[in-house]
Amino acid sequence: MNEMILLKLGELVLKGLNRRTFEDKLIANARRKLRPHGEFKVYTKQSAMYVEPKNDECDMDGAWEAMKKVFGVVGLSRARACDKDADAMLETAKTYLHDKLSAARSFKVEAKRSDKTFPMTSIQLAQYVGGELHDAFPNLTVDVHHPELTVHLEVRDDAAFVHADPESGAGGLPVGVGGRAVSLLSGGIDSPVASWMMAKRGLALDMVHFFSYPYTSPEAKDKVVELARLLTPWCGRLTVHVVPFTAIQEQLRRSCPEELFTLLMRRFMMRIAARVAMRIGAGAVVTGECLGQVASQTMEAMACTQAVCPLPVLRPVVGMDKEEIVRIARKIGTFETSILPYEDCCTVFTPRHPRLRPLPGEIEAAEASLDIEALVDEAVANIERVQVGG
Ligand code: ATP
Ligand code: MG
């Protein structure tokens, strides 16, 4: 029988979110990610998900890598199915795990049966298979506390499965169970990490990028689209809404106090993000803001930008150190692209002395001469949408 992938599901017991919704989303997300790797049968049973190749053309290594990036999965193993019979399980372990059994010095067998009609208890099954493997592989000693290798035997309803230790899965919740949000994606290190973290908590995302041509180059935009593409193995297919931001920035530079420029600009980002969110039915805005990192990321500055956004602003990296953010960026593979040296729209008109704590009324006074609605309408009307991912 073919090799298959056995996935252990995560936090199933959730208030207000039933198991069915969780499993349906997980299956749909997994199916989409498996498509480039062949035809697979995907189903859930007894808090596990099964991915079975339908034929020999399937790329199991590709499927395995793809399944490691599915949120909602806590652990996964490549397994071989066999008859529900102790000797069949023993033979399968000997052949399927041959290399691992030959290389390890210590081992144990762990058996589990959810089919309670199976004639042996879990302990009897583990002892029998363990004893036979011990005889067959003289290199092995039994170590029940810290074995190098654990041989897992699982007797489920319609088959038995043999596998070695499971690997950690991506964790979190299936993308989409928490609804949809728009994520403000710059070319920096923080916002791809923030996006990944919220996708991990079950949000489907649309990306919004503010583009200041000709102050920022087409390469800077390509870099952001590439960052979005790098996130698609986790987040699924993404739309990047590229918002032309030059007119707003030039208007602000002409008519507003320089020290308030960053805050005023960020308020426009929030207004536009909220408009995009309303249009696509998203319920929150995600940013990569981190407390105290730069002038616009003080508590007061966040209050000032949040004030113009009717939706919750989610800032998953707000309490993280840069090293922690970088560690995640490296793990998810966005770091090397984030550090490519292209300018961002925020750095184009950076004030020499940005205001850390705007005074009450100061921001409103600076905005009084602006036709805010017209500026937002104009930007939103000229959004370019770029699709990434399969
Ligand atoms: P990042 O590393 O994500 O660029 P940062 O530390 O450089 O963050 P800022 O430049 O102050 O911080 O931006 C804070 C957040 O605002 C970003 O994380 C991102 O969510 C959003 N943002 C900034 N610039 C843009 C942009 N050009 N397009 C879309 N979102 C942006
Ligand atoms: Mg930035």
Side-chain angles (χ1 to χ4, degrees):
M1 215 181 286
N2 279 323
E3 190 182 29
M4 45 97 69
I5 302 172
L6 199 59
L7 305 101
K8 194 166 170 292
L9 309 192
E11 308 170 37
L12 277 168
V13 198
L14 291 162
K15 286 199 183 108
L17 181 69
N18 66 39
R19 176 184 282 253
R20 212 45 272 149
T21 317
F22 185 106
E23 293 188 359
D24 287 351
K25 268 280 186 277
L26 189 64
I27 291 176
N29 293 348
R31 284 206 177 117
R32 210 169 306 119
K33 289 180 200 200
L34 287 166
R35 225 175 273 151
H37 307 292
E39 284 185 51
F40 293 85
K41 188 172 160 197
V42 184
Y43 57 96
T44 54
K45 210 169 192 177
Q46 297 169 333
S47 74
M49 182 163 70
Y50 297 76
V51 171
E52 294 178 9
K54 285 188 182 169
N55 52 50
D56 292 340
E57 264 91 83
C58 289
D59 168 15
M60 286 303 285
D61 292 339
W64 174 247
E65 288 308 313
M67 291 302 95
K68 283 192 204 167
K69 299 185 173 83
V70 176
F71 291 129
V73 171
V74 286
L76 63 171
S77 350
R78 291 172 84 142
R80 179 144 298 188
C82 65
D83 289 341
K84 296 203 291 185
D85 167 86
D87 285 314
M89 283 183 253
L90 171 62
E91 284 315 307
T92 305
K94 276 186 188 167
T95 50
Y96 181 57
L97 301 180
H98 182 270
D99 293 352
K100 288 194 164 88
L101 286 163
S102 306
R105 279 165 299 181
S106 61
F107 88 121
K108 73 169 173 180
V109 176
E110 222 171 76
K112 246 193 342 215
R113 29 162 234 163
S114 46
D115 172 10
K116 300 295 178 198
T117 66
F118 188 73
M120 294 166 107
T121 65
S122 300
I123 292 173
Q124 287 169 336
L125 176 62
Q127 278 176 346
Y128 172 68
V129 174
E132 294 293 321
L133 289 176
H134 197 196
D135 290 346
F137 294 87
N139 54 303
L140 290 176
T141 58
V142 176
D143 181 345
V144 290
H145 299 297
H146 304 288
E148 265 179 42
L149 173 69
T150 301
V151 174
H152 294 262
L153 311 175
E154 301 193 30
V155 185
R156 296 197 179 231
D157 282 348
D158 30 70
F161 297 95
V162 176
H163 60 87
D165 293 302
E167 283 191 27
S168 300
L173 302 170
V175 168
V177 291
R180 182 169 290 276
V182 297
S183 188
L184 300 194
L185 189 64
S186 67
I189 296 168
D190 306 335
S191 48
V193 171
S195 306
W196 179 86
M197 287 176 76
M198 293 323 300
K200 184 169 193 267
R201 292 311 301 166
L203 296 188
L205 299 176
D206 266 55
M207 300 303 185
V208 173
H209 176 65
F210 297 93
F211 181 49
S212 309
Y213 187 78
Y215 300 103
T216 59
S217 60
E219 287 80 7
K221 180 171 92 178
D222 295 345
K223 169 181 164 180
V224 170
V225 171
E226 171 63 8
L227 284 170
R229 200 190 58 75
L230 291 170
L231 290 170
T232 58
W234 282 277
C235 302
R237 184 181 161 88
L238 289 171
T239 302
V240 186
H241 304 255
V242 182
V243 183
F245 207 44
T246 314
I248 288 175
Q249 290 186 305
E250 288 180 337
Q251 177 70 43
L252 289 175
R253 189 170 53 170
R254 268 197 304 275
S255 56
C256 298
E258 185 192 301
E259 64 271 22
L260 295 179
F261 179 85
T262 306
L263 281 172
L264 295 170
M265 176 185 76
R266 298 195 58 80
R267 276 161 70 94
F268 271 97
M269 286 186 176
M270 286 300 178
R271 291 184 181 107
I272 293 167
R275 282 276 289 273
V276 174
M278 303 292 182
R279 187 186 271 188
I280 63 168
V285 175
V286 178
T287 78
E289 288 165 298
C290 178
L291 193 64
Q293 208 182 69
V294 290
S296 64
Q297 297 179 14
T298 62
M299 213 163 50
E300 293 83 354
M302 287 184 198
C304 172
T305 53
Q306 166 79 76
V308 297
C309 180
L311 298 173
V313 179
L314 307 177
R315 302 176 177 90
V317 304
V318 73
M320 290 169 72
D321 291 347
K322 197 73 188 181
E323 298 86 81
E324 296 175 275
I325 301 173
V326 165
R327 202 180 312 132
I328 298 180
R330 286 189 191 280
K331 182 177 89 173
I332 66 178
T334 53
F335 182 75
E336 296 301 326
T337 302
S338 285
I339 60 172
L340 292 175
Y342 296 117
E343 62 297 321
D344 179 62
C345 76
C346 291
T347 50
V348 176
F349 304 107
T350 307
R352 278 159 296 179
H353 305 289
R355 183 65 58 81
L356 300 183
R357 292 175 179 77
L359 306 170
E362 194 179 25
I363 292 287
E364 290 74 9
E367 286 177 345
S369 68
L370 303 172
D371 187 345
I372 293 172
E373 279 309 301
L375 287 166
V376 171
D377 285 345
E378 173 75 11
V380 170
N382 290 297
I383 286 176
E384 179 203 354
R385 289 178 190 78
V386 183
Q387 306 277 352
V388 290

mmCIF file of all heavy atoms in Angstrom, residues 73 77 90 165 197 211 252 266 322 330 333 344 367:
data_model
loop_
_atom_site.group_PDB
_atom_site.id
_atom_site.type_symbol
_atom_site.label_atom_id
_atom_site.label_comp_id
_atom_site.label_asym_id
_atom_site.label_seq_id
_atom_site.Cartn_x
_atom_site.Cartn_y
_atom_site.Cartn_z
ATOM 1 N N VAL A 73 -2.544 22.375 12.026
ATOM 2 C CA VAL A 73 -1.936 21.043 12.184
ATOM 3 C C VAL A 73 -0.834 21.142 13.244
ATOM 4 O O VAL A 73 0.055 21.969 13.123
ATOM 5 C CB VAL A 73 -1.322 20.568 10.840
ATOM 6 C CG1 VAL A 73 -0.500 19.308 11.034
ATOM 7 C CG2 VAL A 73 -2.415 20.368 9.806
ATOM 8 N N SER A 77 3.201 13.075 10.359
ATOM 9 C CA SER A 77 4.130 11.969 10.098
ATOM 10 C C SER A 77 3.837 11.372 8.731
ATOM 11 O O SER A 77 2.703 11.354 8.285
ATOM 12 C CB SER A 77 3.982 10.836 11.108
ATOM 13 O OG SER A 77 3.175 11.161 12.179
ATOM 14 N N LEU A 90 4.257 -5.528 12.199
ATOM 15 C CA LEU A 90 5.672 -5.832 12.412
ATOM 16 C C LEU A 90 6.434 -5.798 11.083
ATOM 17 O O LEU A 90 7.487 -5.161 10.964
ATOM 18 C CB LEU A 90 5.801 -7.215 13.060
ATOM 19 C CG LEU A 90 7.209 -7.779 13.159
ATOM 20 C CD1 LEU A 90 8.094 -6.881 14.023
ATOM 21 C CD2 LEU A 90 7.191 -9.199 13.718
ATOM 22 N N ASP A 165 8.676 9.021 14.646
ATOM 23 C CA ASP A 165 8.239 10.191 15.410
ATOM 24 C C ASP A 165 7.645 11.272 14.513
ATOM 25 O O ASP A 165 8.219 11.600 13.469
ATOM 26 C CB ASP A 165 9.447 10.787 16.153
ATOM 27 C CG ASP A 165 9.927 9.830 17.217
ATOM 28 O OD1 ASP A 165 9.133 9.483 18.090
ATOM 29 O OD2 ASP A 165 11.115 9.419 17.149
ATOM 30 N N MET A 197 1.727 35.880 11.289
ATOM 31 C CA MET A 197 1.201 35.579 12.631
ATOM 32 C C MET A 197 -0.321 35.622 12.671
ATOM 33 O O MET A 197 -0.958 34.812 13.346
ATOM 34 C CB MET A 197 1.781 36.552 13.668
ATOM 35 C CG MET A 197 3.242 36.271 13.968
ATOM 36 S SD MET A 197 3.969 37.477 15.084
ATOM 37 C CE MET A 197 3.255 36.947 16.641
ATOM 38 N N PHE A 211 2.267 52.817 -2.488
ATOM 39 C CA PHE A 211 3.346 52.900 -3.461
ATOM 40 C C PHE A 211 3.506 54.359 -3.894
ATOM 41 O O PHE A 211 2.525 54.995 -4.293
ATOM 42 C CB PHE A 211 2.962 52.007 -4.642
ATOM 43 C CG PHE A 211 3.966 51.946 -5.752
ATOM 44 C CD1 PHE A 211 5.305 51.707 -5.490
ATOM 45 C CD2 PHE A 211 3.560 52.096 -7.073
ATOM 46 C CE1 PHE A 211 6.229 51.630 -6.520
ATOM 47 C CE2 PHE A 211 4.473 52.017 -8.110
ATOM 48 C CZ PHE A 211 5.802 51.783 -7.834
ATOM 49 N N LEU A 252 0.411 66.499 1.531
ATOM 50 C CA LEU A 252 0.775 66.663 2.940
ATOM 51 C C LEU A 252 2.046 67.495 3.078
ATOM 52 O O LEU A 252 2.156 68.349 3.947
ATOM 53 C CB LEU A 252 0.982 65.296 3.613
ATOM 54 C CG LEU A 252 -0.268 64.450 3.855
ATOM 55 C CD1 LEU A 252 0.113 63.077 4.424
ATOM 56 C CD2 LEU A 252 -1.227 65.153 4.814
ATOM 57 N N ARG A 266 0.281 58.292 8.078
ATOM 58 C CA ARG A 266 -0.201 57.008 8.593
ATOM 59 C C ARG A 266 -1.710 57.031 8.817
ATOM 60 O O ARG A 266 -2.374 56.008 8.700
ATOM 61 C CB ARG A 266 0.548 56.637 9.874
ATOM 62 C CG ARG A 266 2.053 56.456 9.606
ATOM 63 C CD ARG A 266 2.748 55.743 10.732
ATOM 64 N NE ARG A 266 2.145 54.446 10.967
ATOM 65 C CZ ARG A 266 2.396 53.356 10.243
ATOM 66 N NH1 ARG A 266 3.238 53.420 9.228
ATOM 67 N NH2 ARG A 266 1.802 52.235 10.516
ATOM 68 N N LYS A 322 13.182 43.097 18.229
ATOM 69 C CA LYS A 322 13.566 42.931 16.819
ATOM 70 C C LYS A 322 14.130 41.521 16.565
ATOM 71 O O LYS A 322 13.818 40.902 15.551
ATOM 72 C CB LYS A 322 14.611 43.987 16.428
ATOM 73 C CG LYS A 322 14.767 44.162 14.926
ATOM 74 C CD LYS A 322 13.563 44.881 14.331
ATOM 75 C CE LYS A 322 13.575 44.918 12.825
ATOM 76 N NZ LYS A 322 12.404 45.655 12.285
ATOM 77 N N ARG A 330 13.228 34.785 9.385
ATOM 78 C CA ARG A 330 14.151 33.776 8.814
ATOM 79 C C ARG A 330 13.457 32.439 8.661
ATOM 80 O O ARG A 330 13.588 31.756 7.656
ATOM 81 C CB ARG A 330 15.375 33.604 9.713
ATOM 82 C CG ARG A 330 16.355 34.741 9.652
ATOM 83 C CD ARG A 330 17.622 34.338 10.417
ATOM 84 N NE ARG A 330 18.515 35.459 10.631
ATOM 85 C CZ ARG A 330 19.352 35.933 9.707
ATOM 86 N NH1 ARG A 330 19.394 35.362 8.518
ATOM 87 N NH2 ARG A 330 20.122 36.966 9.976
ATOM 88 N N GLY A 333 11.083 32.504 5.813
ATOM 89 C CA GLY A 333 11.741 32.722 4.516
ATOM 90 C C GLY A 333 11.529 34.090 3.896
ATOM 91 O O GLY A 333 11.781 34.274 2.706
ATOM 92 N N ASP A 344 11.314 52.719 0.989
ATOM 93 C CA ASP A 344 9.899 52.563 1.286
ATOM 94 C C ASP A 344 9.267 53.949 1.278
ATOM 95 O O ASP A 344 9.944 54.948 1.494
ATOM 96 C CB ASP A 344 9.738 51.916 2.673
ATOM 97 C CG ASP A 344 8.276 51.745 3.046
ATOM 98 O OD1 ASP A 344 7.589 51.012 2.330
ATOM 99 O OD2 ASP A 344 7.830 52.363 4.026
ATOM 100 N N GLU A 367 -5.084 68.865 9.492
ATOM 101 C CA GLU A 367 -5.874 68.235 8.427
ATOM 102 C C GLU A 367 -7.016 69.122 7.933
ATOM 103 O O GLU A 367 -7.677 68.786 6.942
ATOM 104 C CB GLU A 367 -6.457 66.894 8.925
ATOM 105 C CG GLU A 367 -5.419 65.783 9.019
ATOM 106 C CD GLU A 367 -5.989 64.477 9.581
ATOM 107 O OE1 GLU A 367 -7.100 64.498 10.155
ATOM 108 O OE2 GLU A 367 -5.315 63.446 9.453
#
